[in-house]
Amino acid sequence: MLDALKLLTTIELSHAGDCALLGVDREGFIYVEELYGEHDWLAQHKISLSEGLLETVDEQCGTVPAPAPLPLPELYVTPSKTTVFNHLDFSGARWRGTMADERIESLVRDLSIAEKIALLDYLDWEIDPLRLLGVAESIVLSCCPYYDGDFLLCRRIRVAFRLPAAQRDDHDLDCDYDSIEVHLLHRLPADALELPDLRECLTYFDLCRPLDCMRVDGKFYLADGGEGAIKCALHVFEIETSDDREQREIETMKAANSD
């Protein structure tokens, strides 16, 4: 659960590719970059929480080759490159293939029926849960401190699933299973030795592909990648302390009792 997060603002960026946080300066301006298109064109932005995009440098799909990079001041905070959860990363099975030849069921991490149903509900995907074979890959992309000894993680998983019938892939090879990529935002104790139940990792914030994060002075900054018609975005949350939450609960109870 991410009930200590309160969304302050969402600022849409310019493209539908990947994005990353560069940092926050001492005046509170946020610096973000995007990589987009088949040639990984670059866009960089200076952002204000109140005014949105202030300055942008953009290759414009190659029509502005090698533009001067956005001037960066001394940054107050930059994303941490912590390796605290490296031991939880894994990958094994190919993206697609034949289950018998790949021994897919011995390579994936099992999911319970409850986890499969929750994931399909999260993805709004109407297939038989028994077609989900398990998690074929899990990578922690970014993380930062949350509170009470926990971290917030941007994590990418790949879930293998059985096709309704054998078919040929783009390389004219036989396959009877394929994979789907899912991006997650969830909390995890700093000393975690195992990944949590997948149901604990499914947040219903309106996110597309959470890729990068950092915490600065009680705020949580999230770089959310785009896809298709959905552009990248910067989401900024306030992290409530235990005292904040207790006060909010008291105020909610008082309001309810006064009705």
Side-chain angles (χ1 to χ4, degrees):
M1 296 292 291
L2 301 179
D3 52 353
L5 291 183
K6 176 184 177 183
L7 182 64
L8 296 178
T9 187
T10 292
I11 297 166
E12 186 179 82
L13 303 182
S14 302
H15 304 285
D18 293 338
C19 57
L21 301 167
L22 298 175
V24 174
D25 69 17
R26 293 190 177 277
E27 296 181 51
F29 296 118
I30 309 110
Y31 296 82
V32 178
E33 68 179 16
E34 300 178 84
L35 290 175
Y36 65 95
E38 58 182 277
H39 298 294
D40 282 342
W41 289 302
L42 177 68
Q44 294 180 319
H45 310 284
K46 177 181 179 180
I47 298 173
S48 162
L49 286 181
S50 59
E51 301 176 61
L53 300 181
L54 297 178
E55 296 180 39
T56 292
V57 169
D58 195 335
E59 289 188 272
Q60 296 290 346
C61 297
T63 60
V64 183
L70 189 69
L72 291 180
E74 179 182 353
L75 296 175
Y76 173 49
V77 178
T78 58
S80 170
K81 302 302 181 184
T82 180
T83 58
V84 67
F85 296 116
N86 279 7
H87 61 288
L88 297 177
D89 291 348
F90 67 86
S91 61
R94 293 174 56 205
W95 190 278
R96 61 184 60 85
T98 54
M99 291 185 291
D101 291 343
E102 303 291 339
R103 296 181 297 114
I104 182 68
E105 292 179 331
S106 67
L107 294 175
V108 297
R109 303 286 178 95
D110 290 337
L111 292 171
S112 68
I113 291 296
E115 288 177 290
K116 292 178 181 181
I117 292 172
L119 178 62
L120 292 175
D121 181 58
Y122 177 75
L123 297 174
D124 195 23
W125 190 14
E126 295 184 0
I127 70 167
D128 185 342
L130 296 180
R131 284 177 53 192
L132 298 184
L133 300 169
V135 180
E137 180 179 64
S138 174
I139 304 294
V140 176
L141 303 174
S142 179
C143 65
C144 68
Y146 187 32
Y147 79 97
D148 288 346
D150 283 5
F151 276 68
L152 284 171
L153 276 64
C154 296
R155 183 160 68 98
R156 183 186 69 233
I157 65 172
R158 181 165 54 86
V159 179
F161 62 93
R162 183 183 294 107
L163 294 169
Q167 59 187 51
R168 295 275 185 167
D169 65 15
D170 294 340
H171 301 286
D172 201 31
L173 299 174
D174 291 328
C175 61
D176 57 11
Y177 82 88
D178 205 339
S179 299
I180 183 172
E181 198 171 76
V182 184
H183 285 257
L184 306 170
L185 173 69
H186 64 91
R187 64 188 295 176
L188 195 64
D191 58 355
L193 298 178
E194 296 181 355
L195 291 168
D197 186 300
L198 187 57
R199 289 172 291 179
E200 299 176 22
C201 304
L202 304 177
T203 173
Y204 285 87
F205 286 122
D206 187 15
L207 305 176
C208 182
R209 293 192 304 124
L211 297 175
D212 198 10
C213 63
M214 64 182 179
R215 176 176 179 161
V216 184
D217 295 338
K219 291 185 177 65
F220 174 63
Y221 296 81
L222 177 65
D224 192 15
E227 192 170 55
I230 302 173
K231 292 183 179 180
C232 297
L234 171 69
H235 306 288
V236 183
F237 299 82
E238 181 181 36
I239 302 178
E240 293 184 320
T241 65
S242 299
D243 290 342
D244 293 334
R245 294 174 63 190
E246 287 180 10
Q247 183 61 35
R248 177 165 53 84
E249 291 170 2
I250 290 171
E251 291 173 356
T252 302
M253 291 177 63
K254 285 181 177 178
N257 292 334
S258 64
D259 292 341

